[in-house]
C-alpha cells in the first residue's frame, strides 16, 4: 500500500464486504491502506462518489477529488488544501461549554492549571529512561510552584512514564485520568492556562492550539524534519515554546483549521453534484 489493489477477500460481492452497494455520495478516507479502497469506490460508483483523502496519500493529487494535507508535507495541487494545523474534533463551542460547566474532577485545582498531554513511543520518537526522568523533573518543577496538573496519557505511553505521571499527580494533588469515567480530554484543554504536550503527536499540539493558551512542547529522543517545520511555523504564530520546567508564553489568537477544511469539502461536494445534475446537499458547518 498505497499502490496495491484492495484485499481480494473484501471485493464487492464477498460476504461481509465493506464495498457493498449502495455506494456513498461522499467518502472520506485516511491512511495509506485506504487509498486502494477510495479509488475502487470511485470507479465502482461510475464517478458518482465524491472522494476526500486526509493527509498525503503518497500517490499524488489525482488520488481523490479533494485532499487535505498539512503545510509541512510537499503535496500541492488545485484540489489540495494545505493548512498549518490538522482538522480534529475540538471546537471553540466545546471549550466554551466545558468552561461554563467545569468537570468536578478538575474544578477544584488551583491556577495556573496545566493540561499535560502525554503521548508515547512512535515511529520517530522514543521515551528513553533519561527522557522520562527529564520530563518528570520538568513537571515537578512546575508542580512545586503550586500549579494544578491535569494529566492524560495515551495508549502509546510507556508503562514507566505512566507510573511516574500517576505518582507525580498523587504527590502534588493533581489529576491523572486513569481511564475510568468520562474522558475529560476536552475539559483539560478548556480549563488549562498552559498546555504541556509531547512532540510525538502532531494532532495533540494542533488540538491544543484551539485554546489560544501557550503550548509547551517536550521532545523525547528522536525527531523528524517535518516536526521541525511544524514547530517553526507554530513558533512564528507565538503558539509553542520548548518545555524546560517553567511556564512561558502569552495567549494568542486560537488556531482551528477544521471549519476551513469542512467548508472546502462541502463546497467541493456540491460542485461535483451540480456537474452530475444533482441537487446540492444542505450542510450545517457549525461544529457541535
Amino acid at each position: 500500500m498505497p499502490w496495491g489493489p484492495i484485499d481480494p477477500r473484501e471485493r464487492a460481492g464477498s460476504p461481509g464486504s465493506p464495498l457493498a452497494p449502495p455506494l456513498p455520495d461522499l467518502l472520506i478516507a485516511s491512511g495509506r491502506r485506504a487509498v486502494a479502497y477510495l479509488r475502487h469506490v470511485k470507479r465502482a460508483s461510475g464517478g458518482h462518489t465524491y472522494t476526500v483523502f486526509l493527509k498525503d496519500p503518497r500517490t499524488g493529487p489525482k488520488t481523490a477529488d479533494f485532499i487535505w494535507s498539512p503545510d509541512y508535507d510537499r503535496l500541492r495541487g488545485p484540489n489540495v488544501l494545505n493548512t498549518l494545523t490538522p482538522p480534529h474534533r475540538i471546537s471553540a463551542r466545546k471549550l466554551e461549554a466545558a468552561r461554563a460547566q467545569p468537570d468536578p474532577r478538575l474544578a477544584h485545582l488551583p491556577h495556573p492549571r496545566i493540561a499535560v498531554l502525554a503521548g508515547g513511543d512512535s515511529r520517530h520518537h522514543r521515551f528513553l529512561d533519561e527522557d522520562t526522568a527529564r520530563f518528570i523533573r520538568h513537571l515537578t518543577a512546575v508542580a512545586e510552584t503550586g500549579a494544578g496538573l491535569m494529566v492524560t496519557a495515551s495508549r502509546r505511553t510507556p508503562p514507566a512514564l505512566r507510573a511516574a505521571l500517576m505518582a507525580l499527580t498523587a504527590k502534588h494533588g493533581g489529576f491523572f485520568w486513569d481511564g475510568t469515567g468520562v474522558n475529560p480530554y476536552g475539559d483539560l484543554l478548556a480549563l488549562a492556562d498552559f498546555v504541556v504536550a509531547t512532540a510525538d503527536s502532531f494532532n495533540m499540539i494542533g488540538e491544543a492550539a484551539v485554546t489560544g493558551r501557550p503550548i509547551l512542547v517536550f521532545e523525547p529522543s528522536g525527531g523528524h524534519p517535518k516536526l521541525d517545520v511544524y514547530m517553526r511555523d507554530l513558533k512564528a504564530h507565538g503558539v509553542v515554546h520548548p518545555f524546560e520546567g517553567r511556564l512561558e508564553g502569552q495567549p494568542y489568537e486560537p488556531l482551528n483549521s477544521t471549519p476551513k477544511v469542512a467548508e472546502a469539502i462541502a463546497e467541493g461536494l456540491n460542485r461535483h453534484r451540480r456537474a452530475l445534475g444533482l441537487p446540492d446537499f444542505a450542510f450545517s458547518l457549525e461544529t457541535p
Side-chain angles (χ1 to χ4, degrees), residues 180-198:
T180 60
V182 177
N183 187 339
Y185 183 77
D187 298 88
L188 265 65
L189 293 178
L191 300 179
D193 298 299
F194 294 84
V195 178
V196 172
T198 56

Side-chain angles (χ1 to χ4, degrees), residues 26-220:
L26 171 65
L27 178 59
I28 302 176
S30 188
R32 296 182 190 180
R33 188 173 182 270
V35 171
Y37 292 81
L38 195 75
R39 288 173 155 172
H40 177 93
V41 171
K42 184 68 173 180
R43 291 192 301 267
S45 72
H48 174 93
T49 299
Y50 185 75
T51 55
V52 173
F53 196 85
L54 303 179
K55 298 194 77 172
D56 186 351
R58 300 292 189 267
T59 49
K62 294 183 179 180
T63 299
D65 295 306
F66 173 84
I67 297 175
W68 167 82
S69 187
D71 282 344
Y72 55 74
D73 275 339
R74 296 180 179 179
L75 185 67
R76 298 293 186 271
N79 63 323
V80 178
L81 174 64
N82 303 101
T83 63
L84 174 55
T85 57
H88 50 70
R89 59 193 173 89
I90 303 299
S91 69
R93 181 182 292 184
K94 287 181 178 179
L95 296 178
E96 290 169 3
R99 289 168 185 150
Q101 294 185 320
D103 189 314
R105 296 171 293 178
L106 307 172
H108 70 283
L109 293 174
H111 291 276
R113 293 174 180 152
I114 318 301
V116 181
L117 315 179
D121 294 339
S122 67
R123 188 168 49 169
H124 301 296
H125 290 91
R126 288 289 183 274
F127 276 83
L128 305 179
D129 290 343
E130 53 264 37
D131 297 317
T132 296
R134 179 166 54 95
F135 190 35
I136 296 300
R137 186 167 62 248
H138 291 344
L139 288 173
T140 299
V142 170
E144 288 178 345
T145 68
L149 298 183
M150 309 179 293
V151 183
T152 185
S154 78
R155 290 188 294 267
R156 295 183 290 104
T157 304
L161 176 56
R162 177 182 291 271
L165 290 168
M166 292 179 67
L168 176 66
T169 50
K171 179 179 179 180
H172 292 279
F175 170 82
F176 180 89
W177 187 55
D178 60 5
T180 60
V182 177
N183 187 339
Y185 183 77
D187 298 88
L188 265 65
L189 293 178
L191 300 179
D193 298 299
F194 294 84
V195 178
V196 172
T198 56
D200 53 278
S201 174
F202 291 75
N203 282 343
M204 285 196 311
I205 296 170
E207 289 167 347
V210 181
T211 66
R213 304 292 193 261
I215 304 172
L216 307 173
V217 179
F218 177 83
E219 295 193 34

